[in-house]
Amino acid sequence: EERMFKSMDELLAKIRDGLIDNKGSSSGGLKKINEEDSVHNMATEIHEKTSSLMEHLMEHLEKEETQCMPLVVKLLNKEEINDLA
């Protein structure tokens, strides 16, 4: 999980840096930084990483619903559960 977020942070930083570096360029935005970092490649990588993070999040939430919430309901009363929110 931490690796996935770190990887996404690095990609977004690369894009941010590219936008800053190219701010004054005639294209007015992100252009090819180098061949492997084209806008298309970065967009594809963002899609892949967000899809992976979304899948991981959905699995995590499913575990919370099926494993954690039954314990919470069993161990806490309604008032205690409301106090957590």
Side-chain angles (χ1 to χ4, degrees):
E1 182 176 293
E2 191 173 322
R3 260 193 328 252
M4 286 191 286
F5 283 111
K6 184 175 188 277
S7 176
M8 179 62 90
D9 284 343
E10 289 169 354
L11 175 61
L12 294 174
K14 186 187 301 184
I15 292 170
R16 182 192 63 237
D17 293 345
L19 288 168
I20 290 169
D21 290 346
N22 294 307
K23 191 174 183 180
S25 72
S26 60
S27 66
L30 187 62
K31 61 182 181 182
K32 284 189 178 184
I33 297 169
N34 63 43
E35 202 54 41
E36 69 183 42
D37 290 335
S38 72
V39 173
H40 179 267
N41 289 345
M42 283 194 235
T44 300
E45 194 172 347
I46 288 172
H47 175 73
E48 290 169 355
K49 289 181 186 308
T50 54
S51 295
S52 178
L53 285 167
M54 183 183 70
E55 185 178 319
H56 178 77
L57 174 62
M58 295 307 290
E59 290 172 7
H60 175 86
L61 293 174
E62 178 67 25
K63 284 181 185 176
E64 280 190 4
E65 288 292 323
T66 59
Q67 297 174 12
C68 297
M69 287 308 295
L71 288 174
V72 169
V73 171
K74 184 177 179 179
L75 299 173
L76 301 176
N77 64 39
K78 190 174 181 177
E79 185 180 313
E80 292 169 324
I81 292 172
N82 289 335
D83 286 343
L84 295 174

Coordinates of all heavy atoms in Angstrom, one line a residue:
E1 N 0.8 -1.2 0.0 CA 0.0 0.0 0.0 C 0.9 1.3 0.0 O 0.7 2.1 -0.8 CB -0.9 0.0 1.2 CG -1.9 1.1 1.3 CD -2.8 1.0 2.5 OE1 -3.7 0.1 2.4 OE2 -2.7 1.8 3.4
E2 N 1.8 1.3 0.9 CA 2.7 2.4 1.0 C 3.5 2.6 -0.3 O 3.7 3.7 -0.8 CB 3.7 2.3 2.2 CG 4.4 3.5 2.5 CD 5.3 3.4 3.8 OE1 4.8 2.8 4.7 OE2 6.4 3.9 3.8
R3 N 3.9 1.5 -0.9 CA 4.7 1.6 -2.2 C 3.8 2.1 -3.3 O 4.3 2.9 -4.1 CB 5.1 0.2 -2.6 CG 6.5 -0.2 -2.3 CD 7.0 -1.4 -3.0 NE 6.0 -2.4 -3.2 CZ 5.9 -3.6 -2.5 NH1 6.8 -3.9 -1.6 NH2 4.9 -4.4 -2.7
M4 N 2.5 1.8 -3.3 CA 1.6 2.3 -4.3 C 1.5 3.8 -4.2 O 1.5 4.5 -5.2 CB 0.2 1.6 -4.2 CG 0.2 0.2 -4.7 SD -1.4 -0.5 -4.9 CE -1.9 -0.8 -3.2
F5 N 1.3 4.3 -3.0 CA 1.1 5.7 -2.8 C 2.4 6.4 -3.1 O 2.4 7.5 -3.7 CB 0.7 6.0 -1.4 CG -0.8 5.8 -1.2 CD1 -1.2 4.7 -0.3 CD2 -1.8 6.6 -1.8 CE1 -2.6 4.5 -0.1 CE2 -3.1 6.3 -1.6 CZ -3.5 5.3 -0.8
K6 N 3.6 5.9 -2.7 CA 4.8 6.5 -3.0 C 5.1 6.6 -4.5 O 5.5 7.6 -5.1 CB 6.0 5.7 -2.4 CG 7.3 6.3 -2.5 CD 8.4 5.6 -1.8 CE 9.7 6.3 -1.7 NZ 10.5 6.1 -2.9
S7 N 4.7 5.5 -5.2 CA 4.9 5.5 -6.7 C 4.0 6.6 -7.3 O 4.4 7.3 -8.3 CB 4.5 4.1 -7.2 OG 4.6 4.1 -8.6
M8 N 2.8 6.7 -6.9 CA 1.9 7.7 -7.4 C 2.4 9.1 -7.1 O 2.4 10.0 -7.9 CB 0.5 7.6 -6.8 CG -0.5 8.6 -7.3 SD -0.8 8.6 -9.1 CE -2.1 7.5 -9.3
D9 N 2.9 9.3 -5.9 CA 3.5 10.6 -5.5 C 4.7 11.0 -6.4 O 4.8 12.2 -6.8 CB 4.0 10.6 -4.0 CG 2.8 10.7 -3.0 OD1 1.7 11.1 -3.4 OD2 3.1 10.4 -1.9
E10 N 5.5 10.0 -6.7 CA 6.6 10.3 -7.6 C 6.2 10.7 -9.0 O 6.7 11.6 -9.6 CB 7.6 9.1 -7.6 CG 8.3 8.8 -6.3 CD 9.0 7.5 -6.2 OE1 8.8 6.7 -7.2 OE2 9.7 7.3 -5.2
L11 N 5.2 10.0 -9.5 CA 4.7 10.3 -10.8 C 4.1 11.7 -10.8 O 4.3 12.5 -11.7 CB 3.6 9.3 -11.3 CG 2.9 9.5 -12.6 CD1 4.0 9.6 -13.7 CD2 1.9 8.5 -12.8
L12 N 3.3 12.0 -9.8 CA 2.6 13.4 -9.8 C 3.7 14.5 -9.6 O 3.6 15.5 -10.2 CB 1.6 13.4 -8.7 CG 0.4 12.5 -8.9 CD1 -0.5 12.5 -7.7 CD2 -0.4 12.9 -10.2
A13 N 4.7 14.2 -8.9 CA 5.8 15.2 -8.7 C 6.5 15.4 -10.1 O 6.9 16.5 -10.4 CB 6.8 14.7 -7.7
K14 N 6.7 14.3 -10.8 CA 7.4 14.4 -12.1 C 6.5 15.3 -13.1 O 7.0 16.1 -13.8 CB 7.5 13.0 -12.7 CG 8.3 13.0 -14.0 CD 8.4 11.6 -14.7 CE 8.9 10.5 -13.8 NZ 9.0 9.2 -14.4
I15 N 5.2 15.1 -13.0 CA 4.3 15.9 -13.8 C 4.3 17.3 -13.4 O 4.4 18.3 -14.2 CB 2.9 15.3 -13.8 CG1 2.9 13.9 -14.5 CG2 1.9 16.3 -14.4 CD1 1.6 13.2 -14.3
R16 N 4.2 17.6 -12.1 CA 4.3 18.9 -11.5 C 5.6 19.6 -12.0 O 5.5 20.8 -12.4 CB 4.2 18.9 -10.0 CG 4.2 20.3 -9.4 CD 4.3 20.3 -7.9 NE 5.6 19.8 -7.6 CZ 5.8 18.7 -6.8 NH1 4.8 18.1 -6.2 NH2 7.0 18.3 -6.5
D17 N 6.7 18.9 -11.8 CA 8.0 19.5 -12.2 C 8.0 19.8 -13.7 O 8.5 20.9 -14.1 CB 9.1 18.6 -11.8 CG 9.3 18.4 -10.3 OD1 8.7 19.3 -9.6 OD2 10.0 17.5 -9.9
G18 N 7.4 19.0 -14.5 CA 7.4 19.2 -15.9 C 6.5 20.4 -16.3 O 6.9 21.2 -17.2
L19 N 5.4 20.6 -15.6 CA 4.6 21.8 -15.8 C 5.3 23.0 -15.4 O 5.2 24.0 -16.1 CB 3.3 21.6 -15.0 CG 2.3 20.6 -15.6 CD1 1.2 20.3 -14.6 CD2 1.7 21.1 -16.9
I20 N 6.0 23.0 -14.3 CA 6.8 24.2 -13.8 C 7.9 24.5 -14.8 O 8.0 25.7 -15.2 CB 7.3 23.9 -12.4 CG1 6.1 23.9 -11.4 CG2 8.3 25.0 -12.0 CD1 6.5 23.4 -10.0
D21 N 8.6 23.5 -15.2 CA 9.7 23.7 -16.1 C 9.3 24.3 -17.4 O 10.0 25.0 -18.1 CB 10.5 22.4 -16.4 CG 11.3 21.9 -15.1 OD1 11.5 22.7 -14.2 OD2 11.7 20.8 -15.1
N22 N 8.1 23.9 -17.9 CA 7.6 24.3 -19.2 C 6.6 25.5 -19.1 O 6.0 25.8 -20.1 CB 6.9 23.1 -19.9 CG 8.0 22.0 -20.2 OD1 9.0 22.3 -20.8 ND2 7.7 20.8 -19.7
K23 N 6.5 26.1 -17.9 CA 5.5 27.1 -17.8 C 5.7 28.3 -18.8 O 4.8 28.8 -19.3 CB 5.5 27.7 -16.3 CG 4.4 28.6 -16.0 CD 4.4 28.9 -14.5 CE 3.2 29.8 -14.1 NZ 3.3 30.1 -12.7
G24 N 6.9 28.6 -19.0 CA 7.2 29.7 -19.9 C 7.4 29.3 -21.3 O 7.7 30.2 -22.2
S25 N 7.2 28.1 -21.6 CA 7.4 27.6 -23.0 C 6.3 28.1 -23.9 O 5.2 28.4 -23.4 CB 7.6 26.1 -23.1 OG 6.3 25.5 -22.9
S26 N 6.5 28.1 -25.2 CA 5.5 28.5 -26.1 C 4.3 27.6 -26.2 O 3.2 28.0 -26.5 CB 6.0 28.6 -27.6 OG 6.5 27.4 -28.0
S27 N 4.5 26.3 -25.8 CA 3.3 25.4 -25.7 C 2.4 25.6 -24.5 O 1.3 25.2 -24.5 CB 3.9 23.9 -25.7 OG 4.6 23.7 -24.5
G28 N 3.0 26.4 -23.5 CA 2.2 26.7 -22.4 C 1.7 25.6 -21.5 O 0.8 25.8 -20.7
G29 N 2.4 24.5 -21.6 CA 2.0 23.4 -20.7 C 3.0 22.3 -20.7 O 4.2 22.5 -21.1
L30 N 2.6 21.1 -20.4 CA 3.5 20.0 -20.3 C 3.8 19.4 -21.7 O 2.9 19.1 -22.4 CB 2.9 18.9 -19.4 CG 3.7 17.7 -19.1 CD1 4.9 18.1 -18.3 CD2 2.9 16.6 -18.3
K31 N 5.1 19.5 -22.1 CA 5.5 18.9 -23.3 C 6.3 17.7 -23.0 O 6.5 17.3 -21.9 CB 6.3 19.9 -24.2 CG 7.6 20.4 -23.5 CD 8.2 21.4 -24.3 CE 9.5 21.9 -23.7 NZ 10.2 22.9 -24.4
K32 N 6.9 17.0 -24.0 CA 7.7 15.9 -23.8 C 8.9 16.3 -23.0 O 9.7 17.1 -23.4 CB 8.1 15.2 -25.1 CG 7.0 14.4 -25.7 CD 7.5 13.6 -26.9 CE 6.4 12.8 -27.5 NZ 6.9 12.0 -28.6
I33 N 9.1 15.7 -21.8 CA 10.3 15.9 -21.0 C 11.4 15.1 -21.6 O 12.5 15.5 -21.9 CB 10.0 15.5 -19.6 CG1 9.0 16.4 -19.0 CG2 11.3 15.6 -18.8 CD1 8.4 16.0 -17.7
N34 N 11.1 13.8 -21.9 CA 12.0 13.0 -22.7 C 11.1 11.9 -23.3 O 9.9 11.8 -23.0 CB 13.2 12.4 -21.9 CG 12.7 11.6 -20.7 OD1 11.8 10.7 -20.9 ND2 13.3 11.7 -19.5
E35 N 11.7 11.0 -24.1 CA 10.9 10.0 -24.8 C 10.1 9.1 -23.9 O 8.9 8.8 -24.2 CB 11.8 9.2 -25.7 CG 11.1 8.5 -26.8 CD 10.3 9.5 -27.7 OE1 10.7 10.6 -28.0 OE2 9.2 9.1 -28.1
E36 N 10.6 8.7 -22.7 CA 9.9 7.8 -21.9 C 8.9 8.5 -21.0 O 8.0 7.9 -20.4 CB 10.8 6.9 -21.1 CG 11.6 7.7 -20.0 CD 12.6 6.8 -19.2 OE1 13.3 6.0 -19.9 OE2 12.6 6.9 -18.0
D37 N 8.9 9.8 -20.9 CA 8.0 10.6 -20.0 C 7.0 11.4 -20.9 O 6.7 12.5 -20.5 CB 8.8 11.5 -19.1 CG 9.6 10.7 -18.0 OD1 9.1 9.6 -17.7 OD2 10.6 11.2 -17.5
S38 N 6.6 10.9 -22.0 CA 5.7 11.7 -22.8 C 4.3 11.8 -22.1 O 4.0 11.1 -21.1 CB 5.4 11.0 -24.2 OG 4.6 9.8 -23.9
V39 N 3.6 12.8 -22.4 CA 2.3 13.1 -21.8 C 1.4 11.8 -21.9 O 0.8 11.4 -20.9 CB 1.6 14.3 -22.4 CG1 0.2 14.5 -21.9 CG2 2.4 15.6 -22.2
H40 N 1.4 11.2 -23.1 CA 0.6 10.0 -23.2 C 1.0 8.9 -22.3 O 0.2 8.2 -21.6 CB 0.7 9.5 -24.7 CG -0.1 8.2 -24.9 ND1 0.4 7.0 -24.8 CD2 -1.5 8.1 -25.2 CE1 -0.6 6.1 -25.0 NE2 -1.7 6.7 -25.2
N41 N 2.3 8.7 -22.1 CA 2.8 7.6 -21.2 C 2.5 8.0 -19.8 O 2.1 7.1 -19.0 CB 4.3 7.5 -21.4 CG 4.7 6.8 -22.7 OD1 3.9 6.2 -23.4 ND2 6.0 6.9 -23.1
M42 N 2.6 9.2 -19.4 CA 2.3 9.6 -18.0 C 0.8 9.5 -17.8 O 0.4 9.0 -16.7 CB 2.7 11.1 -17.8 CG 4.2 11.2 -17.6 SD 4.6 12.8 -16.9 CE 5.8 13.3 -18.1
A43 N 0.0 9.8 -18.7 CA -1.5 9.6 -18.6 C -1.8 8.2 -18.4 O -2.6 7.8 -17.6 CB -2.2 10.2 -19.8
T44 N -1.2 7.3 -19.2 CA -1.4 5.9 -19.1 C -1.0 5.4 -17.7 O -1.6 4.6 -17.1 CB -0.6 5.1 -20.2 OG1 -1.1 5.6 -21.5 CG2 -0.8 3.6 -20.1
E45 N 0.2 5.9 -17.2 CA 0.7 5.5 -15.9 C -0.2 5.9 -14.8 O -0.5 5.2 -13.9 CB 2.1 6.0 -15.7 CG 2.8 5.4 -14.6 CD 4.3 5.8 -14.5 OE1 4.8 6.4 -15.5 OE2 4.9 5.5 -13.4
I46 N -0.8 7.1 -14.9 CA -1.7 7.6 -13.9 C -2.9 6.7 -13.9 O -3.4 6.3 -12.8 CB -2.2 9.1 -14.2 CG1 -1.0 10.0 -13.9 CG2 -3.4 9.5 -13.4 CD1 -1.3 11.5 -14.4
H47 N -3.5 6.4 -15.1 CA -4.6 5.5 -15.1 C -4.3 4.1 -14.5 O -5.1 3.6 -13.7 CB -5.0 5.3 -16.6 CG -6.1 4.3 -16.8 ND1 -7.4 4.6 -16.4 CD2 -6.1 3.0 -17.2 CE1 -8.2 3.5 -16.6 NE2 -7.4 2.6 -17.1
E48 N -3.2 3.6 -14.8 CA -2.8 2.3 -14.2 C -2.7 2.3 -12.7 O -3.2 1.5 -12.0 CB -1.5 1.8 -14.8 CG -1.7 1.4 -16.3 CD -0.4 1.1 -17.0 OE1 0.7 1.3 -16.4 OE2 -0.4 0.7 -18.2
K49 N -2.0 3.4 -12.2 CA -1.8 3.5 -10.8 C -3.1 3.8 -10.0 O -3.3 3.3 -9.0 CB -0.8 4.6 -10.5 CG 0.6 4.2 -10.9 CD 1.7 5.2 -10.6 CE 3.0 4.9 -11.1 NZ 3.6 3.6 -10.8
T50 N -4.0 4.7 -10.6 CA -5.2 5.0 -9.9 C -6.1 3.7 -9.9 O -6.8 3.5 -8.9 CB -6.0 6.2 -10.5 OG1 -6.1 6.0 -11.9 CG2 -5.2 7.5 -10.2
S51 N -6.1 3.0 -11.0 CA -6.9 1.7 -11.0 C -6.4 0.8 -10.0 O -7.2 0.1 -9.3 CB -6.8 1.1 -12.4 OG -7.4 1.9 -13.4
S52 N -5.1 0.6 -9.8 CA -4.6 -0.3 -8.8 C -4.9 0.2 -7.4 O -5.3 -0.6 -6.6 CB -3.0 -0.3 -9.0 OG -2.5 -1.2 -8.0
L53 N -4.8 1.5 -7.2 CA -5.1 2.1 -5.8 C -6.6 1.9 -5.6 O -7.0 1.5 -4.4 CB -4.8 3.5 -5.8 CG -3.3 3.8 -5.6 CD1 -3.0 5.3 -5.9 CD2 -2.8 3.4 -4.2
M54 N -7.5 2.1 -6.6 CA -8.9 1.9 -6.4 C -9.2 0.4 -6.0 O -10.0 0.2 -5.1 CB -9.7 2.3 -7.6 CG -11.2 2.2 -7.5 SD -12.1 2.6 -9.0 CE -11.7 1.2 -10.0
E55 N -8.6 -0.5 -6.7 CA -8.8 -1.9 -6.5 C -8.4 -2.3 -5.0 O -9.1 -3.0 -4.3 CB -8.1 -2.8 -7.5 CG -8.3 -4.2 -7.4 CD -7.6 -5.0 -8.4 OE1 -7.5 -4.6 -9.6 OE2 -7.1 -6.1 -8.0
H56 N -7.3 -1.7 -4.6 CA -6.8 -2.0 -3.3 C -7.7 -1.4 -2.3 O -8.0 -2.0 -1.2 CB -5.4 -1.4 -3.1 CG -4.8 -1.6 -1.8 ND1 -4.3 -2.8 -1.3 CD2 -4.7 -0.7 -0.8 CE1 -3.8 -2.6 -0.1 NE2 -4.1 -1.4 0.3
L57 N -8.2 -0.2 -2.5 CA -9.1 0.5 -1.6 C -10.4 -0.3 -1.4 O -10.9 -0.5 -0.3 CB -9.4 1.9 -2.0 CG -10.5 2.6 -1.2 CD1 -10.0 2.8 0.2 CD2 -10.8 4.0 -1.8
M58 N -10.9 -0.8 -2.6 CA -12.2 -1.6 -2.5 C -12.0 -2.9 -1.7 O -12.9 -3.2 -0.9 CB -12.7 -1.9 -3.9 CG -13.1 -0.6 -4.7 SD -14.2 0.5 -3.9 CE -15.7 -0.5 -3.9
E59 N -10.9 -3.5 -1.9 CA -10.6 -4.7 -1.1 C -10.5 -4.4 0.4 O -11.0 -5.1 1.2 CB -9.3 -5.4 -1.6 CG -9.4 -6.0 -2.9 CD -8.1 -6.5 -3.5 OE1 -7.1 -6.5 -2.8 OE2 -8.1 -6.9 -4.7
H60 N -9.8 -3.3 0.7 CA -9.7 -2.8 2.1 C -11.1 -2.6 2.7 O -11.3 -3.0 3.8 CB -8.8 -1.6 2.1 CG -8.7 -1.0 3.5 ND1 -7.7 -1.4 4.4 CD2 -9.4 0.0 4.1 CE1 -7.9 -0.7 5.5 NE2 -8.8 0.2 5.3
L61 N -11.9 -1.8 2.0 CA -13.2 -1.5 2.5 C -14.1 -2.7 2.7 O -14.8 -2.8 3.6 CB -13.9 -0.5 1.6 CG -13.3 0.9 1.5 CD1 -14.0 1.8 0.5 CD2 -13.3 1.6 2.9
E62 N -14.0 -3.7 1.8 CA -14.7 -5.0 1.9 C -14.3 -5.7 3.2 O -15.1 -6.2 3.9 CB -14.5 -5.8 0.6 CG -15.1 -7.2 0.7 CD -16.7 -7.1 0.6 OE1 -17.2 -6.1 0.1 OE2 -17.3 -8.0 1.1
K63 N -13.0 -5.7 3.5 CA -12.5 -6.4 4.7 C -13.1 -5.6 5.9 O -13.4 -6.3 6.9 CB -11.0 -6.4 4.7 CG -10.4 -7.4 3.8 CD -8.9 -7.4 4.0 CE -8.2 -8.3 3.0 NZ -6.7 -8.2 3.1
E64 N -13.1 -4.3 5.9 CA -13.7 -3.6 7.0 C -15.1 -3.9 7.2 O -15.5 -4.1 8.4 CB -13.5 -2.1 6.8 CG -12.2 -1.5 7.1 CD -12.2 0.0 7.1 OE1 -13.2 0.7 6.9 OE2 -11.0 0.6 7.2
E65 N -15.9 -4.0 6.1 CA -17.3 -4.3 6.3 C -17.5 -5.7 6.7 O -18.4 -5.9 7.6 CB -18.0 -4.1 4.9 CG -18.1 -2.7 4.5 CD -19.1 -1.9 5.4 OE1 -20.1 -2.4 5.8 OE2 -18.8 -0.7 5.7
T66 N -16.8 -6.7 6.3 CA -17.0 -8.1 6.6 C -16.3 -8.6 7.8 O -16.8 -9.5 8.5 CB -16.6 -9.0 5.4 OG1 -15.3 -8.8 5.1 CG2 -17.5 -8.7 4.2
Q67 N -15.2 -7.9 8.2 CA -14.4 -8.4 9.3 C -14.4 -7.5 10.5 O -14.6 -7.9 11.7 CB -13.0 -8.7 8.9 CG -12.9 -9.8 7.9 CD -11.5 -10.0 7.4 OE1 -10.5 -9.5 7.9 NE2 -11.3 -10.8 6.3
C68 N -14.3 -6.2 10.3 CA -14.1 -5.2 11.4 C -15.5 -4.8 11.9 O -15.7 -4.7 13.1 CB -13.4 -4.0 10.9 SG -11.7 -4.4 10.4
M69 N -16.4 -4.4 11.0 CA -17.7 -3.9 11.5 C -18.4 -4.9 12.4 O -19.0 -4.5 13.4 CB -18.5 -3.4 10.3 CG -18.0 -2.1 9.7 SD -17.7 -0.8 10.9 CE -19.4 -0.5 11.5
P70 N -18.5 -6.2 12.1 CA -19.1 -7.1 13.0 C -18.5 -7.1 14.4 O -19.3 -7.2 15.4 CB -19.0 -8.5 12.3 CG -18.8 -8.1 10.9 CD -18.1 -6.8 10.8
L71 N -17.2 -6.9 14.5 CA -16.6 -6.8 15.8 C -17.0 -5.5 16.5 O -17.2 -5.5 17.7 CB -15.1 -6.9 15.7 CG -14.5 -8.2 15.3 CD1 -13.0 -8.1 15.1 CD2 -14.8 -9.2 16.5
V72 N -17.0 -4.4 15.8 CA -17.4 -3.1 16.3 C -18.8 -3.2 16.9 O -19.1 -2.8 18.0 CB -17.3 -2.0 15.3 CG1 -17.9 -0.7 15.8 CG2 -15.8 -1.8 14.9
V73 N -19.7 -3.8 16.1 CA -21.1 -3.9 16.5 C -21.2 -4.8 17.8 O -22.0 -4.5 18.7 CB -22.0 -4.4 15.4 CG1 -23.4 -4.7 15.8 CG2 -22.0 -3.3 14.3
K74 N -20.4 -5.8 17.8 CA -20.5 -6.8 18.9 C -19.9 -6.2 20.2 O -20.4 -6.4 21.3 CB -19.6 -8.0 18.5 CG -19.7 -9.1 19.5 CD -18.9 -10.3 19.0 CE -18.9 -11.4 20.1 NZ -18.1 -12.6 19.6
L75 N -18.9 -5.3 20.1 CA -18.1 -4.9 21.3 C -18.6 -3.5 21.7 O -18.3 -3.1 22.9 CB -16.6 -4.8 21.0 CG -16.0 -6.2 20.7 CD1 -14.6 -6.1 20.3 CD2 -16.1 -7.1 21.9
L76 N -19.2 -2.7 20.9 CA -19.6 -1.3 21.2 C -21.1 -1.2 21.2 O -21.8 -1.8 20.3 CB -18.9 -0.3 20.3 CG -17.4 -0.3 20.3 CD1 -16.9 0.7 19.2 CD2 -16.8 0.0 21.6
N77 N -21.7 -0.3 22.0 CA -23.1 0.0 21.9 C -23.3 1.1 20.9 O -22.3 1.7 20.4 CB -23.7 0.3 23.3 CG -23.1 1.6 23.9 OD1 -22.9 2.5 23.2 ND2 -22.9 1.5 25.2
K78 N -24.6 1.4 20.6 CA -24.9 2.3 19.5 C -24.3 3.7 19.8 O -23.8 4.4 19.0 CB -26.4 2.4 19.4 CG -26.8 3.2 18.2 CD -28.3 3.1 18.0 CE -28.7 3.9 16.8 NZ -30.2 3.8 16.5
E79 N -24.4 4.1 21.1 CA -23.8 5.4 21.5 C -22.3 5.5 21.3 O -21.8 6.5 20.8 CB -24.2 5.7 23.0 CG -23.8 7.1 23.4 CD -24.1 7.3 24.9 OE1 -25.3 7.1 25.2 OE2 -23.3 7.8 25.6
E80 N -21.6 4.5 21.7 CA -20.2 4.4 21.5 C -19.8 4.4 20.0 O -18.8 5.1 19.6 CB -19.6 3.2 22.1 CG -19.7 3.2 23.7 CD -19.3 1.9 24.3 OE1 -19.7 0.8 23.7 OE2 -18.7 1.9 25.4
I81 N -20.6 3.7 19.2 CA -20.3 3.8 17.7 C -20.5 5.2 17.2 O -19.7 5.7 16.4 CB -21.2 2.7 17.0 CG1 -20.8 1.3 17.4 CG2 -21.1 2.9 15.5 CD1 -21.7 0.2 16.9
N82 N -21.6 5.8 17.6 CA -21.9 7.2 17.1 C -20.8 8.2 17.6 O -20.5 9.1 16.9 CB -23.2 7.7 17.6 CG -24.4 7.0 16.9 OD1 -24.2 6.5 15.8 ND2 -25.5 6.9 17.5
D83 N -20.2 7.9 18.7 CA -19.1 8.8 19.2 C -17.9 8.7 18.4 O -17.1 9.6 18.3 CB -18.7 8.5 20.7 CG -19.8 8.9 21.7 OD1 -20.6 9.8 21.3 OD2 -19.8 8.5 22.8
L84 N -17.7 7.6 17.7 CA -16.5 7.4 16.8 C -16.7 8.2 15.5 O -15.7 8.6 14.9 CB -16.4 5.9 16.4 CG -16.1 5.0 17.5 CD1 -16.1 3.5 17.0 CD2 -14.7 5.3 18.1
A85 N -17.9 8.5 15.1 CA -18.1 9.3 13.9 C -17.8 10.7 13.9 O -17.4 11.4 14.6 CB -19.5 9.1 13.4

